[in-house]
């Protein structure tokens, strides 16, 4: 991942330059993803465990956070980045054929869950400037207000929560 400028800034102000995207450019693709795969606020959306599913999950998160929940572009950008990291971990490390994406909102909070059939726990590793991978949970830990893992009888759900200002 290119440029982790400002990774030592206070919690909530870290930015990953590579994660920048334009809501206007992606809007049509995001709406198409909802149409094809379903809305992760209605029910868990099953996605194939392939690298290209990260793009689909990002688009689903974008349309939900920006258009459906009407949160800020910055909140959307952060949520999309963290969805991408959790999905990347599910694809790379679980050996699953399918994983599930679910998004929920309650007063003052959003919650994103990625469920997979592996009971292997993710591990927050120390990050060095020269590392070229292994920063996913580091980013989740820096940008989310809370995150964790719930073990299930068959698998686990890795989740993060972010505070939102309700109007």
């Amino acid at each position: 991942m290119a440029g982790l400028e400002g990774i030592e800034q206070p919690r909530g102000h870290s930015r990953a330059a590579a994660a920048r995207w334009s809501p206007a450019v992606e809007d049509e693709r995001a709406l198409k993803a909802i149409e094809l795969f379903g809305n992760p606020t209605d029910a868990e959306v099953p996605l194939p465990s392939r690298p290209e599913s990260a793009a689909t999950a990002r688009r689903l998160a974008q349309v939900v956070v920006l258009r459906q929940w009407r949160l800020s572009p910055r909140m959307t950008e952060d949520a999309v980045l963290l969805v991408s990291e959790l999905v990347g971990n599910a694809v790379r490390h679980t050996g699953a054929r399918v994983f599930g994406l679910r998004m929920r909102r309650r007063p003052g909070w959003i919650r994103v869950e990625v469920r997979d059939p592996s009971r292997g726990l993710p591990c927050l590793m120390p990050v060095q400037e020269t590392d070229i991978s292994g920063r996913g949970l580091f980013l989740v830990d820096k940008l989310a207000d809370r995150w964790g893992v719930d073990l299930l009888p068959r698998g686990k759900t890795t989740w993060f929560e972010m505070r939102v200002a309700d109007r």
Side-chain angles (χ1 to χ4, degrees):
M1 181 179 290
L4 283 175
E5 294 86 350
I7 60 172
E8 295 182 22
Q9 293 179 1
R11 186 179 194 103
H13 297 288
S14 300
R15 313 302 298 165
R20 303 234 183 260
W21 49 266
S22 167
V25 171
E26 285 293 315
D27 204 43
E28 186 176 321
R29 291 181 187 159
L31 290 171
K32 186 71 170 174
I34 288 273
E35 190 178 304
L36 289 172
F37 294 95
N39 189 328
T41 64
D42 295 337
E44 182 179 283
V45 172
L47 294 168
S49 188
R50 297 191 305 248
E52 57 269 21
S53 289
T56 301
R58 285 191 298 270
R59 289 181 180 123
L60 292 170
Q62 174 200 333
V63 76
V64 166
V65 177
L66 190 63
R67 293 183 64 120
Q68 185 175 336
W69 291 341
R70 300 193 186 287
L71 299 176
S72 72
R74 180 176 176 168
M75 173 67 71
T76 303
E77 184 177 337
D78 288 348
V80 166
L81 173 63
L82 299 187
V83 164
S84 186
E85 296 301 338
L86 291 188
V87 167
N89 284 348
V91 170
R92 275 189 301 275
H93 302 297
T94 67
R97 284 190 262 162
V98 175
F99 65 89
L101 175 67
R102 179 90 165 123
M103 299 177 70
R104 303 169 192 257
R105 180 156 185 203
R106 67 180 197 273
W109 293 91
I110 65 169
R111 179 181 174 105
V112 176
E113 302 172 343
V114 174
R115 186 184 56 78
D116 65 71
S118 169
R119 288 181 53 89
L121 295 175
C123 183
L124 178 61
M125 302 294 289
V127 175
Q128 304 297 320
E129 272 188 47
T130 56
D131 291 345
I132 58 172
S133 66
R135 296 177 183 217
L137 284 180
F138 173 79
L139 291 171
V140 172
D141 189 59
K142 290 296 176 189
L143 294 175
D145 291 291
R146 299 191 287 227
W147 71 275
V149 180
D150 297 331
L151 285 176
L152 307 170
R154 292 190 175 155
K156 68 178 173 299
T157 299
T158 307
W159 55 269
F160 69 84
E161 294 181 334
M162 300 171 79
R163 280 189 200 278
V164 297
D166 287 321
R167 295 183 181 136

